[in-house]
Amino acid sequence: MYSWNTAAPIASVGAWGEAFTSLHGAGRISVPDPAAPWAGSLDWQRSATYALALCSGGQEVVRRDRRHIRSDPRGTYELLVPLAGTAWVEQGPSSAEIRRGSMVLCDIDRPLAFAHDADFLSIAFIMREQDVAARSLAVTRKPVTLDSSIGLGRVVRQVVATLQEEREQFSATTFDIACDRLLDLVCLAAEGGTDSAPSGQRARVEASIRRYVREHACDADLDGTRIARALGWSTRYIQQVLQASDTTSRDLIRRERLQLARSRLASRSWAATSISQIAHACGFGSHAAFTTAFRQQFGRTPTDVRNDALHPRRTSPSKAEPSTGSGEGDALG
């Protein structure tokens, strides 16, 4: 179920810690004066797969170490998109200063430190590690800093802001479809600076493979051999490129077909077409095989997605009650 929360002031450090860690995972939050009034807010939206959180608060340092990760593993990545102010992110040997015009992509299940001043305002795009890895292993190895003032980075920032602003217009299905495309852009932007590296050619070949599969996903005879022949590479090289991203041509074709089927199930223009017909049109040989694969991929049945899209029932949960807490201590979410 897709849900959202309209921002409201959070007046205590304890309540802030609970709200913050429920979205981002357990960590240690430190503030300059634990006894002082706290002024912060969280405005979030989320489905079972993705989340966006608009965050503002006072000066703080957040540390997520191995103990926190063991107690509260998330299996997620976050793209932090500053709108105002300055923040600092440190993970392993890498560190970055980010402000409006830059973004950083981090693995939440690796120890990290995050600090910002009182005027910091940002949106966090939260995504599953498995979905990031399915698109690009290159961006899973260390924090990636992106320029959000030009090119794909600017497009990413604009899409993130628009999704946050228009949260009430989405169902679970349409939100996930939009976020799938956003994640595609994030990975492309993250790899954009590697074209001069030895892996640059492989990244370009992989992008060509993914584009070809997306354009021809419904073709019944689509397989690794046809992809290789169409792109002018050997089948073995295609296999090596995809293996480096922890996938295969079969898995890639299956995932693109499922995403296309989900988009059609969510479209009113396909409402008169049966689920079996959509499955067949998207390259699946049987309704049963399609339903099984669909549930494994999205955690929902095709019927659930169709009903959600045609008869959305979106709800905004009530605000959590404020609670008290210290200004420096563990927030285990």
Side-chain angles (χ1 to χ4, degrees):
M1 177 63 71
Y2 173 69
S3 58
W4 71 87
N5 176 76
T6 300
I10 299 176
S12 73
V13 174
W16 172 258
E18 291 181 5
F20 187 92
T21 58
S22 70
L23 281 168
H24 304 286
R28 177 181 292 273
I29 299 177
S30 304
V31 302
D33 184 358
W38 182 263
S41 65
L42 281 175
D43 187 348
W44 52 258
Q45 65 214 82
R46 57 188 169 191
S47 67
T49 309
Y50 295 101
L52 283 170
L54 175 66
C55 174
S56 67
Q59 183 179 352
E60 66 178 340
V61 177
V62 181
R63 292 183 175 86
R64 182 165 160 85
D65 60 28
R66 297 188 186 280
R67 179 172 62 89
H68 298 119
I69 294 167
R70 285 195 301 268
S71 69
D72 186 19
R74 290 296 171 120
T76 58
Y77 275 70
E78 291 195 18
L79 178 72
L80 190 62
V81 184
L83 304 179
T86 303
W88 298 264
V89 180
E90 181 177 309
Q91 189 166 57
S94 301
S95 61
E97 179 181 291
I98 55 172
R99 54 172 57 88
R100 184 178 176 86
S102 60
M103 308 178 289
V104 66
L105 179 66
C106 291
D107 181 353
I108 296 303
D109 282 349
R110 290 180 57 212
L112 62 83
F114 166 65
H116 64 76
D117 291 331
D119 62 347
F120 189 63
L121 175 67
S122 67
I123 301 176
F125 175 42
I126 304 170
M127 66 218 81
R128 300 183 302 184
E129 187 277 337
Q130 66 197 63
D131 295 327
V132 177
R135 289 162 170 80
S136 174
L137 285 179
V139 302
T140 66
R141 294 171 185 145
K142 62 180 181 179
V144 179
T145 304
L146 307 174
D147 186 344
S148 63
S149 64
I150 59 172
L152 275 179
R154 183 180 180 186
V155 174
V156 167
R157 177 173 59 82
Q158 292 173 334
V159 173
V160 166
T162 301
L163 283 173
Q164 192 278 325
E165 292 169 357
E166 299 294 330
R167 60 192 177 280
E168 296 183 21
Q169 305 304 316
F170 294 99
S171 67
T173 299
T174 54
F175 179 70
D176 281 348
I177 290 172
C179 287
D180 278 342
R181 298 310 176 221
L182 173 58
L183 181 51
D184 288 339
L185 293 173
V186 169
C187 290
L188 284 173
E191 291 187 339
T194 66
D195 284 349
S196 62
S199 62
Q201 175 176 298
R202 190 172 65 189
R204 290 192 294 273
V205 173
E206 182 183 344
S208 297
I209 295 169
R210 292 180 182 275
R211 183 168 58 250
Y212 185 85
V213 170
R214 180 166 295 169
E215 292 172 350
H216 299 275
C218 293
D219 296 355
D221 63 344
L222 185 62
D223 59 15
T225 300
R226 177 177 158 182
I227 296 169
R229 185 166 56 247
L231 297 179
W233 299 98
S234 70
T235 301
R236 180 173 177 80
Y237 183 58
I238 294 294
Q239 291 171 340
Q240 290 174 341
V241 168
L242 294 177
Q243 186 177 20
S245 290
D246 199 29
T247 191
T248 64
S249 58
R250 180 179 179 181
D251 289 343
L252 185 59
I253 292 166
R254 174 177 170 272
R255 189 166 69 88
E256 287 297 336
R257 286 174 172 172
L258 287 170
Q259 290 184 331
L260 177 60
R262 184 180 61 175
S263 296
R264 290 179 175 180
L265 288 168
S267 171
R268 293 187 179 275
S269 64
W270 287 80
T273 306
S274 71
I275 293 176
S276 293
Q277 289 172 322
I278 288 176
H280 180 73
C282 291
F284 290 91
S286 75
H287 179 83
F290 168 68
T291 300
T292 299
F294 195 95
R295 184 191 289 273
Q296 290 175 343
Q297 179 71 23
F298 302 118
R300 310 171 72 203
T301 67
T303 301
D304 290 337
V305 168
R306 167 159 278 180
N307 290 339
D308 172 68
L310 299 181
H311 309 287
R313 292 178 295 176
R314 303 183 296 274
T315 59
S316 179
S318 60
K319 308 292 187 297
E321 290 297 323
S323 62
T324 59
S326 66
E328 181 170 357
D330 291 331
L332 298 177

